[in-house]
């Protein structure tokens, strides 16, 4: 058993001070039961908790820490920035440097604006899409998460899904009345909605590689169709690459699949562990933002010098080390190893991985049939367009995870047992079935082998 004495004491005090003891629900262990570990520090590939336990970190702050913790280049850059003052509310040269770097790496980005979180980036991009097209409707996919933006907080995957509140109280029917929900990867439904209301659609927001219902890759057919339909109908295509940029591929999933959206939202890795978000895209659209245009968006701490320094150091280090193939290879090694061990233990799993992202889905064939039917019915406040491709009989389930329907019916109890088994052995995986595992440059192949061996023990206990 894990010694959690100090963690438990700190967390029970936290519960009295902060709702649920946390500042973001995903870290509460709500989906796996028990109490979270309280982190004292992170170093390289490892997290150290307040009780002196050490864990190989596959969560990486839910994505940003692609260089591991306290990377010397990032520490040096932030220390240097810190000495020169932490915020001015005035232009700084380092904003140009990070902007230039991102523009050079991400084909979709001609101009960029920095904000302070992924949520803020998405919120601003949605406003821009609506202001630019002078239309109201936004298409969103079930199981995709775009931060806690009111109009998109419907069927939003991970935290929301994990904790059983797909539609948050406090989100008014008015806030979601212009949100159209579709199933991810459902080309037929997409074509249908554009036939019916194409000229009312301001934009479509999508995670081209979804990371918030677990890792689910958008099919190329689906993404190409999205590009063509939005283009033909004058709607703005927004790729939410807050998680996938520098993860699914060097310049994001869009670059990897050679599809250029009109706008892209960024966060996580581009801030190197400091609070950063950004949205960018075609200059012609971006120039509609105040002060070059009329669409309002502002931020006291936006483009903050510490955050810019951390992001710049992170991305420069990544590019200099040319580690993207290595990251992908290591992730494949882990994915294949876990899949093999699960199979040996006769535990049904489905593993999806791309770049430095992965999810190990624990399948539950029985539950899938019942829940597939439930999930096809309406989600309150928003219009659900039913797919013509999938029957409501629920027997189209193939064991492959392609959307929220197939993801949501996984065996979350079994995942919880796997999670705790691994945690007790010193491996920190996401505390939810519906989150991605991440690879960092600091995790070695030997450590991946150790992870696979530990998983073998855990799988043996699960069957
Ligand atoms: C994490 C995430 C967000 C929200 O970013 P925050 O910085 O947590 O506000 C938005 N979209 C996607 C795809 C994400 O993974």
């Amino acid at each position: 058993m894990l010694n959690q004495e100090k963690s438990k004491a700190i967390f029970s005090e936290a519960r009295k001070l902060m709702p649920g003891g946390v500042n973001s629900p995903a870290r509460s262990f709500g989906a796996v039961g028990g109490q979270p570990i309280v982190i004292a520090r992170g170093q390289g590939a490892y997290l150290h908790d307040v009780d002196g336990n050490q864990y190989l970190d596959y969560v990486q702050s839910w994505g940003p820490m692609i260089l591991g913790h306290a990377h010397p280049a990032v520490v040096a850059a932030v220390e240097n920035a810190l000495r020169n003052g932490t915020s001015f509310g005035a232009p700084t040269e380092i904003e140009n440097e990070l902007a230039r770097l991102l523009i050079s790496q991400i084909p979709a980005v001609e101009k960029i604006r920095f904000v302070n979180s992924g949520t803020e980036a998405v919120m601003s991009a949605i406003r821009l899409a609506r202001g630019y097209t002078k239309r109201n409707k936004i298409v969103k996919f079930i199981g995709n998460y775009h931060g806690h933006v009111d109009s998109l907080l419907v069927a939003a995957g991970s935290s929301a899904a994990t904790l059983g509140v797909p539609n948050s109280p406090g989100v008014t029917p008015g806030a979601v009345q212009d949100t159209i929900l579709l199933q991810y990867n459902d080309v037929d439904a997409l074509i249908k909605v554009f036939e019916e209301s194409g000229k009312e659609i301001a934009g479509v927001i999508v995670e081209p590689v979804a990371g918030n219902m677990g890792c689910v890759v958008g099919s190329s057919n689906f993404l190409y169709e999205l590009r063509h339909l939005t283009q033909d109908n004058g709607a703005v295509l927004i790729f939410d690459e807050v998680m996938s940029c520098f993860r699914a591929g060097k310049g994001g999933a869009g670059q990897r699949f050679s599809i250029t959206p009109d706008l892209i939202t960024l966060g996580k890795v581009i801030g190197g562990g400091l609070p950063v978000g950004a949205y960018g895209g075609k200059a012609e659209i971006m120039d509609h933002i105040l002060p070059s245009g009329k669409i309002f968006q502002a931020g006291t701490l936006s483009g903050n010098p510490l955050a810019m320094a951390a992001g710049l150091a992170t991305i420069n280090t990544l590019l200099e080390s040319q580690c993207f193939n290595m990251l992908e290879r290591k992730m494949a090694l882990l994915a294949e190893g876990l899949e093999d061990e699960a199979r040996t233990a006769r535990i049904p799993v489905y593993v999806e991985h791309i770049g430095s992202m992965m999810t190990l889905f624990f399948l539950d064939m029985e539950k899938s049939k019942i829940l597939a039917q439930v999930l096809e019915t309406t989600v309150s406040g928003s219009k659900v367009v039913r797919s013509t491709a999938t029957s409501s009989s629920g027997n189209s389930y193939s064991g492959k995870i392609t959307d929220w329907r197939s993801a949501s019916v996984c065996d979350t109890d079994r995942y919880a047992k796997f999670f705790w088994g691994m945690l007790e052995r010193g491996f920190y995986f996401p505390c939810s079935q519906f989150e991605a595992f991440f690879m960092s440059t600091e995790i070695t192949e030997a450590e991946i082998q150790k992870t696979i061996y530990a998983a073998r023990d855990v799988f043996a206990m699960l069957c």
Side-chain angles (χ1 to χ4, degrees), residues 338-391:
L338 293 178
E339 192 171 14
D340 282 352
E341 294 301 341
R343 205 157 275 162
T344 307
R346 295 172 183 278
I347 292 176
V349 294
Y350 177 75
V351 181
E352 183 88 275
H353 65 96
I354 182 169
S356 57
M357 295 167 64
M358 176 187 74
T359 296
L360 173 67
F361 293 99
F362 287 82
L363 302 177
D364 180 333
M365 303 301 183
E366 282 309 304
K367 236 164 78 179
S368 74
K369 290 188 180 138
I370 305 160
L371 283 179
Q373 291 174 341
V374 175
L375 279 156
E376 283 212 355
T377 56
T378 33
V379 179
S380 79
S382 298
K383 199 171 109 189
V384 172
V385 178
R386 287 188 198 203
S387 158
T388 51
T390 43
S391 70

Side-chain angles (χ1 to χ4, degrees), residues 62 116-120 122 145-148 207 209 211-212 240-244 265 267-268 276:
W62 306 94
N116 303 293
S117 69
T119 296
E120 211 187 324
V122 168
Y145 177 66
H146 304 293
H148 57 97
E207 290 184 80
V209 166
N212 291 288
D240 183 353
E241 298 228 42
V242 169
M243 186 185 288
S244 57
T265 52
K268 299 199 168 109
V276 177

Side-chain angles (χ1 to χ4, degrees), residues 320-335:
E320 280 158 21
S321 60
Q322 300 190 315
C323 57
F324 289 96
N325 288 343
M326 177 62 100
L327 280 168
E328 178 143 346
R329 210 163 56 79
K330 287 193 295 185
M331 195 41 123
L333 191 67
L334 178 65

Side-chain angles (χ1 to χ4, degrees), residues 154-195:
V154 280
S158 62
S159 299
T162 301
L163 302 176
V165 271
N167 302 292
S168 172
V171 175
T172 63
V176 295
Q177 73 181 6
D178 289 316
T179 308
I180 301 173
L181 288 173
L182 299 179
Q183 288 291 351
Y184 194 64
N185 277 327
D186 189 340
V187 177
D188 293 341
L190 196 62
I191 293 171
K192 192 156 166 268
V193 85
F194 269 95
E195 273 170 10

Side-chain angles (χ1 to χ4, degrees), residues 276-297:
V276 177
Y279 61 111
K282 294 204 169 107
E284 189 251 320
I285 302 178
M286 291 300 290
D287 280 335
H288 281 72
I289 302 162
L290 204 70
S292 56
K294 292 203 170 80
I295 300 167
F296 191 87
Q297 188 271 308

